[in-house]
């Protein structure tokens, strides 16, 4: 072998090694993400997210049919779906999706995000998100039982060797405290009507107040309380992984209170604004945090069944997913492309932080590759 041939062989070796290093473990080389925030908005329909106020639903829920006289119409209606959705979520559309992130799941653009579980209610949806796999054989109800499988939150805590309160979940619905972990206490969880111990007197007072200012539901506290606890925890204990699970959109919908569904969505947008403002101001989180926002299921599409969701109700399997990340260059709405499946979320979160989720669950969905292109 002459010198040139040896040099070529050497070059090929270097190239192949680099290729193997880059793609072999499927991880992001040189990613900026050091922190993860997962946010779920229970049963928030893609119809409202992408189109704002749905006039068909407003008609169906306004007793005297005088829709133009309703507060919801005055506050959120416009002929243009783009303007409508910005009225409902001005920060999400006007700032986040414009300058910092992207959102998949608008069928009108040819984008699809869907559940792989066939049950289309909450626990199966949360479990699919948190474990990366639908287990319709194991999860058949919303009962308060620990997740039958280890979750991505437990995996990340273990792999990064984090303290318990550095992987924290705050939820308005009590069942989430069980769904987030396979082993009790594996991560820090505060859910439903549950006291939160924190040094701030304001937070202590709020923790007491949650038991006095009750919602119409025994198992779901106000999202306002959940959000404030999560923000206090973020500032004091600096978690590397935070899961914020908000729920009022689902419960008001089941109660057919469309006006309250819209108000709840509008509040979520204010939460995002506040969260983002704080993250931007903090050196641990600024430009080092990936935020993934999604929902556990869709719900009906027509005025008769918009309030509900099940295996029998068309559109219950259709969801959406938004990502704000210093490691993803996509902006705005996704168009045509391969459908995204909700069982890919766990592996996607891991990939952002440089971990390979297939180590824990080889059967889990693979990372959503479009986010890393
Ligand atoms: Zn739900």
């Amino acid at each position: 072998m002459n010198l040139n041939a040896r040099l070529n062989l050497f070059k090929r070796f270097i190239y192949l090694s680099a290729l193997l290093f880059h793609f072999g473990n499927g991880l992001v080389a040189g990613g900026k993400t050091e922190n993860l925030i997962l946010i779920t908005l229970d049963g928030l329909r893609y119809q409202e997210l992408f189109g704002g106020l749905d006039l068909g639903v407003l008609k169906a829920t306004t007793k005297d049919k005088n829709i133009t006289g309703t507060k919801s119409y005055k506050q959120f209606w416009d002929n243009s779906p783009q303007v409508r959705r910005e009225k409902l979520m001005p920060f999400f559309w006007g700032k986040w999706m414009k300058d910092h992130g992207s959102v998949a799941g608008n069928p009108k653009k040819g984008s699809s995000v869907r559940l792989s579980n066939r049950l289309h209610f909450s626990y199966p949806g949360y479990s699919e998100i948190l474990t990366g796999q639908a287990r319709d054989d194991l999860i058949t109800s919303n009962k308060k039982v620990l997740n039958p499988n280890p979750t991505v939150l437990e995996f990340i805590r273990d792999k990064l060797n984090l303290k318990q309160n550095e992987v924290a979940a705050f939820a308005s619905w009590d069942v989430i405290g069980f769904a987030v972990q396979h082993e009790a206490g594996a991560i820090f969880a505060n859910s439903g009507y549950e006291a939160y111990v924190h040094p701030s007197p304001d937070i202590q007072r709020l923790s007491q107040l949650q038991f006095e200012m009750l919602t119409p539901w025994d198992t779901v506290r106000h999202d306002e309380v959940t959000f404030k606890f999560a923000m206090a925890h973020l500032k004091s204990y600096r978690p590397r992984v935070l899961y914020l699970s908000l729920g009022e959109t689902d419960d008001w919908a089941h109660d057919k209170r469309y006006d309250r569904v819209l108000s709840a969505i509008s509040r979520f947008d204010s939460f995002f604004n506040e969260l983002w403002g704080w993250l931007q101001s903090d050196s641990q989180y600024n430009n080092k945090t990936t935020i993934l926002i999604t929902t556990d299921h869709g719900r009906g599409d027509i005025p008769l069944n918009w309030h509900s969701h099940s295996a029998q109700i068309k559109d219950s399997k259709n969801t959406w997913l938004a990502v704000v990340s210093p490691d993803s260059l996509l902006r705005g709405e996704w168009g045509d492309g391969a459908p995204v499946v909700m069982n890919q979320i766990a592996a996607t979160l891991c990939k952002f932080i440089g971990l390979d989720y297939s180590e824990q669950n080889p059967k889990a969905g693979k990372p959503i590759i479009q986010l890393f292109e």
Side-chain angles (χ1 to χ4, degrees):
M1 197 185 280
N2 65 26
L3 189 66
N4 245 345
R6 269 193 224 176
L7 207 64
N8 276 338
L9 202 66
F10 181 63
K11 275 184 189 162
R12 279 184 67 163
F13 171 72
I14 295 288
Y15 175 71
L16 282 173
S17 315
L19 209 66
L20 209 65
F21 179 73
H22 191 81
F23 295 108
N25 56 10
L27 303 180
V28 187
K32 292 178 182 158
T33 300
E34 293 175 14
N35 315 286
L36 295 170
I37 299 182
L38 170 66
I39 303 174
T40 54
L41 311 173
D42 201 304
L44 195 161
R45 303 192 315 161
Y46 72 78
Q47 289 90 334
E48 275 78 24
L49 182 78
F50 294 106
L53 189 158
D54 182 330
L55 211 56
V57 174
L58 188 64
K59 273 183 193 148
T61 51
T62 304
K63 280 200 182 91
D64 57 9
K65 303 294 170 209
N66 173 24
I67 53 167
T68 55
T70 61
K71 195 174 148 231
S72 301
Y73 185 91
K74 288 174 189 162
Q75 200 176 352
F76 298 120
W77 178 253
D78 191 277
N79 281 321
S80 147
Q82 274 75 24
V83 177
R84 280 203 301 276
R85 71 191 189 187
E86 284 197 33
K87 283 190 169 192
L88 194 57
M89 306 182 81
F91 173 78
F92 180 88
W93 286 109
K95 181 86 180 159
W96 255 1
M97 294 306 114
K98 200 162 145 271
D99 300 332
H100 302 283
S102 69
V103 55
N106 187 354
K108 291 201 168 121
K109 299 262 169 173
S111 175
S112 162
V113 183
R114 57 175 174 79
L115 292 163
S116 67
N117 81 71
R118 291 163 190 276
L119 300 170
H120 309 162
F121 59 87
S122 292
Y123 199 143
Y126 287 112
S127 187
E128 181 171 342
I129 293 168
L130 293 164
T131 67
Q133 193 184 0
R135 290 303 303 265
D136 297 355
D137 53 333
L138 295 173
I139 301 160
T140 54
S141 79
N142 281 337
K143 280 197 194 120
K144 283 191 268 183
V145 291
L146 286 167
N147 203 307
N149 296 296
T151 69
V152 65
L153 304 175
E154 292 171 295
F155 175 71
I156 297 173
R157 182 186 168 194
D158 191 44
K159 291 298 285 186
L160 300 184
N161 219 353
L162 301 172
K163 291 190 286 209
Q164 193 214 29
N165 65 9
E166 289 177 316
V167 180
F170 287 84
S172 297
W173 187 37
D174 60 4
V175 176
I176 299 293
F178 295 83
V180 291
Q181 51 200 336
H182 176 62
E183 270 176 55
I187 67 156
F188 180 89
N190 180 282
S191 63
Y193 287 99
E194 184 177 356
Y196 175 50
V197 180
H198 186 275
S200 150
D202 284 351
I203 295 297
Q204 277 177 43
R205 179 74 193 120
L206 187 64
S207 181
Q208 289 160 11
L209 266 175
Q210 68 176 313
F211 301 104
E212 293 157 25
M213 45 178 210
L214 302 174
T215 64
W217 322 289
D218 293 340
T219 60
V220 187
R221 70 179 166 203
H222 284 296
D223 286 329
E224 197 76 35
V225 175
T226 303
F227 176 70
K228 289 218 159 47
F229 288 175
M231 284 304 295
H233 193 89
L234 189 62
K235 292 172 187 177
S236 300
Y237 304 109
R238 336 264 325 157
R240 296 279 301 282
V241 184
L242 176 70
Y243 172 32
L244 173 63
S245 171
L246 303 171
E248 285 189 52
T249 29
D250 187 73
D251 299 284
W252 288 122
H254 283 299
D255 289 357
K256 302 183 187 172
R257 285 291 304 269
Y258 192 52
D259 57 334
R260 291 287 174 89
V261 171
L262 296 172
S263 306
I265 299 171
S266 170
R267 279 303 293 155
F268 294 164
D269 192 66
S270 312
F271 296 159
F272 297 157
N273 194 357
E274 185 180 333
L275 171 69
W276 184 246
W278 187 80
L279 294 173
Q280 294 282 83
S281 73
D282 187 272
S283 61
Q284 180 188 327
Y285 294 96
N286 181 25
N287 211 30
K288 294 172 195 151
T289 304
T290 287
I291 306 168
L292 194 152
I293 311 136
T294 188
T295 185
D296 56 324
H297 51 75
R299 37 187 1 109
D301 186 36
I302 58 172
L304 270 178
N305 64 19
W306 70 276
H307 52 88
S308 195
H309 53 90
S310 72
Q312 284 76 41
I313 293 177
K314 185 186 157 285
D315 259 355
S316 298
K317 70 170 181 304
N318 294 322
T319 60
W320 51 268
L321 171 122
V323 173
V324 174
S325 170
D327 294 316
S328 181
L329 301 175
L330 292 177
R331 297 291 174 265
E333 283 188 78
W334 293 29
D336 286 321
V340 172
V341 184
M342 298 290 283
N343 65 13
Q344 298 181 269
I345 290 174
T348 302
L349 289 169
C350 284
K351 187 173 164 79
F352 272 117
I353 209 157
L355 298 174
D356 178 0
Y357 189 61
S358 71
E359 281 178 33
Q360 169 158 282
N361 184 355
K363 291 187 174 163
K366 299 288 173 268
I368 303 163
I369 208 69
Q370 298 95 308
L371 286 165
F372 303 93
E373 282 166 354

